[in-house]
Amino acid sequence: MTRRDRWAQQLMRNPLLAPVYEHVYRPTLAWTLMGFDLAHVRQERAQTVAALRLAPGDAVLDVACGPGLFTKAFAEAVSPSGIAVGIDMSAPMLARARTANAHPRAAYVFADATDQPFPDDAFDAVNCYAALYLIPDPWAAFEEMCRVLRPGGRIALMSSRATQRTWIAPAQRWATGMSGLKMFGEDEFTSALAEAGFTEISQEFHGVAQYVAATAP
Ligand SMILES: C[S@@+](CC[C@H](N)C(=O)[O-])C[C@H]1O[C@@H](n2cnc3c(N)ncnc32)[C@H](O)[C@@H]1O
């Protein structure tokens, strides 16, 4: 892990961030980075539940769950008999998830996205939002998500999108290089999913964010 990678990770582990993440930090950042589209930010959880096609009884994994805002929405969708598991490597984020987003059908586990403590094909759906751009080896996390997802299961990813505007690209590269955050090309996730045999691949762009969903082979 480089010094820049460490900076982004340390921010996520700062105990001052977890209490303000869900209601201040994330909405503000999402609103500004996603083209000031408030309607989209408000519908993000419902749209993700729909993209994952969650149904009662499903087992769903939320990778890098932070304080559990999506995990709780997933737990509601798979109730009364399913389970939503959120994994993260920030103890303050997990502590916040267990209080602010507790749910009888949600479990929060300290685990590394790149080395997940689950057997193959364990989940009906896997989600990873706003984290691949700060994980030093995002493709190791991607492979783990594919491994734990059952055949026919759904995956949903939200991450960064490198700008297509050539006059902004150098400034974006400089800013993301300084911060340690990675920008992904528009085709990177869709190509990786297609190569891994996924079908029904969909993609949406909102500002500098990209949303990708697909069905496992
Ligand atoms: C910006 S938050 C995203 C939280 C949530 N998914 C959301 O969309 O709001 C990024 C999270 O990724 C977690 N994270 C970073 N690297 C990780 C890794 N290798 N394994 C698990 N979680 C990780 C951080 O601790 C942080 O809670």
Side-chain angles (χ1 to χ4, degrees):
M1 200 188 281
T2 66
R3 250 175 59 203
R4 284 176 191 151
D5 287 335
R6 269 200 296 275
W7 178 88
Q9 294 285 5
Q10 275 165 3
L11 173 66
M12 292 300 142
R13 290 172 198 173
N14 188 322
L16 296 176
L17 179 63
V20 296
Y21 180 88
E22 182 172 352
H23 299 292
V24 182
Y25 177 92
R26 194 183 196 284
T28 311
L29 215 62
W31 182 63
T32 44
L33 297 180
M34 293 179 188
F36 305 101
D37 185 349
L38 201 55
H40 166 70
V41 175
R42 285 201 180 117
Q43 289 160 13
E44 204 185 4
R45 283 174 235 192
Q47 283 178 351
T48 309
V49 166
L52 291 169
R53 299 181 188 161
L54 295 181
D58 280 351
V60 53
L61 176 65
D62 189 14
V63 174
C65 63
L69 49 166
F70 284 85
T71 321
K72 187 181 182 188
F74 300 159
E76 284 162 1
V78 301
S79 287
S81 50
I83 185 87
V85 180
I87 62 168
D88 203 284
M89 285 188 79
S90 162
M93 289 288 197
L94 288 170
R96 179 76 186 174
R98 290 182 186 121
T99 51
N101 285 309
H103 188 282
R105 289 282 150 184
Y108 294 103
V109 179
F110 187 95
D112 186 350
T114 65
D115 185 17
Q116 299 177 17
F118 307 112
D120 296 355
D121 307 340
F123 293 95
D124 300 296
V126 175
N127 184 69
C128 183
Y129 270 21
L132 287 168
Y133 51 70
L134 38 92
I135 295 178
D137 188 352
W139 296 107
F142 176 80
E143 274 177 29
E144 277 291 83
M145 287 188 256
C146 297
R147 180 185 67 76
V148 302
L149 182 60
R150 71 158 169 83
R154 292 284 292 170
I155 189 168
L157 309 172
M158 185 271 273
S159 194
S160 52
R161 169 205 192 188
T163 182
Q164 296 298 295
R165 297 185 195 151
T166 45
W167 55 277
I168 301 181
Q172 191 183 66
R173 272 197 299 276
W174 177 81
T176 52
M178 291 300 287
S179 64
L181 303 181
K182 294 170 190 61
M183 299 306 284
F184 292 94
E186 290 188 353
D187 299 335
E188 275 192 80
F189 294 118
T190 50
S191 302
L193 287 164
E195 250 171 60
F198 281 73
T199 56
E200 298 185 285
I201 301 170
S202 62
Q203 186 176 39
E204 258 184 49
F205 299 117
H206 290 270
V208 294
Q210 57 175 307
Y211 291 77
V212 176
T215 301

